[in-house]
Amino acid sequence: MAKQLDYHTIREIFLRFQAADPEPKGELDHVNAYTLVVAVALSAQATDAGVNRATRDLFKVADTPQKMLDLGEEGLIEHIKTIGLYRNKAKNVIKLSKILVEDYDGIVPNSRAALQSLPGVGRKTANVVLNMWWHYPAQAVDTHIFRVGNRTGICPGKNVDAVERAIEDNIPVDFQQHAHHWLILHGRYHCKARKPMCPTCIIRDLCQFEDKTQ
């Protein structure tokens, strides 16, 4: 684990991220808050690209909780069976859709606690939805952010909760809205787990990773 970087270094890092990609976007396709919840719930242990392929036709017929209930668990499975853990995920999507219809009038709630009370929705999923749909600066820490944060020193921590706090505490507020997207994209396409692309990295000179590739 690298040491926590200082304010000025972190600020320079995010200025570079911002210059390279001023408006980073999440890569899960969705059409409303409900389909975003479903997409993020389906993305656990799956790629965004794989989820998008499965939901492309699904969301054409089931873009609300009631329509998902009308489709039913078996109908949902037919759409998502290419995704890992699809049976358990289908059960959760149907359960959360039922709760949304019965307890929230079919409207996705926008508090972290309410979101986390839904089956299959953990803190990371809740944070993604709060950030991407309601533009609240919640930080969804996934494996990419955990790796980048600890390699570089941007937001080191022993677990995802510690990394989330490190982001909130150390990254300047003007970068908080897009922070987790910049970090995810950097980890996904540059600071890769097995073969980090250090020679072409835009923050190479500011990163504390001791095993930089040439």
Side-chain angles (χ1 to χ4, degrees), residues 144-188:
H144 295 301
I145 293 181
F146 188 81
R147 178 175 67 254
V148 171
N150 279 294
R151 273 182 178 173
T152 62
I154 293 172
C155 47
K158 293 182 179 180
N159 53 52
V160 293
D161 290 338
V163 170
E164 183 179 332
R165 287 194 298 273
I167 295 173
E168 293 173 344
D169 290 347
N170 294 286
I171 294 175
V173 294
D174 46 324
F175 300 119
Q176 288 276 337
Q177 179 62 54
H178 295 310
H180 94 275
H181 280 133
W182 279 316
L183 292 169
I184 286 172
L185 294 172
H186 190 66
R188 184 174 291 165

Side-chain angles (χ1 to χ4, degrees), residues 14-203:
F14 281 89
L15 283 170
R16 294 184 190 182
F17 285 158
Q18 185 180 57
D21 188 1
E23 293 288 334
K25 304 293 183 185
E27 297 184 327
L28 284 172
D29 293 338
H30 59 283
V31 296
N32 53 33
Y34 171 70
T35 54
L36 179 58
V37 170
V38 172
V40 180
L42 293 176
S43 71
Q45 300 182 50
T47 65
D48 287 358
V51 172
N52 288 341
R53 283 193 295 272
T55 59
R56 188 173 297 120
D57 291 330
L58 171 64
F59 292 157
K60 291 177 182 177
V61 296
D63 60 355
T64 69
Q66 186 58 59
K67 288 180 182 178
M68 190 67 74
L69 293 177
D70 294 341
L71 180 64
E73 188 173 324
E74 291 305 315
L76 172 57
I77 284 174
E78 284 303 306
H79 285 279
I80 67 169
K81 59 187 178 183
T82 56
I83 300 174
L85 308 174
Y86 67 90
R87 290 194 181 278
N88 189 56
K89 290 176 180 178
K91 283 182 174 27
N92 283 332
V93 169
I94 294 299
K95 286 179 183 177
L96 74 82
S97 299
K98 190 170 186 289
I99 291 171
L100 289 175
V101 168
E102 293 180 350
D103 298 345
Y104 295 96
D105 295 322
I107 299 171
V108 176
N110 61 353
S111 79
R112 185 183 285 118
L115 286 166
Q116 284 189 249
S117 72
L118 300 173
V121 177
R123 186 179 181 87
K124 184 182 79 171
T125 298
N127 282 348
V128 170
V129 175
L130 291 172
N131 183 289
M132 289 181 63
W133 192 257
W134 283 287
H135 307 296
Y136 177 76
Q139 307 301 332
V141 178
D142 68 351
T143 55
H144 295 301
I145 293 181
F146 188 81
R147 178 175 67 254
V148 171
N150 279 294
R151 273 182 178 173
T152 62
I154 293 172
C155 47
K158 293 182 179 180
N159 53 52
V160 293
D161 290 338
V163 170
E164 183 179 332
R165 287 194 298 273
I167 295 173
E168 293 173 344
D169 290 347
N170 294 286
I171 294 175
V173 294
D174 46 324
F175 300 119
Q176 288 276 337
Q177 179 62 54
H178 295 310
H180 94 275
H181 280 133
W182 279 316
L183 292 169
I184 286 172
L185 294 172
H186 190 66
R188 184 174 291 165
Y189 298 112
H190 298 283
C191 195
K192 300 177 182 180
R194 294 183 180 179
K195 294 183 178 180
M197 300 168 66
C198 300
T200 58
C201 176
I202 62 173
I203 63 167

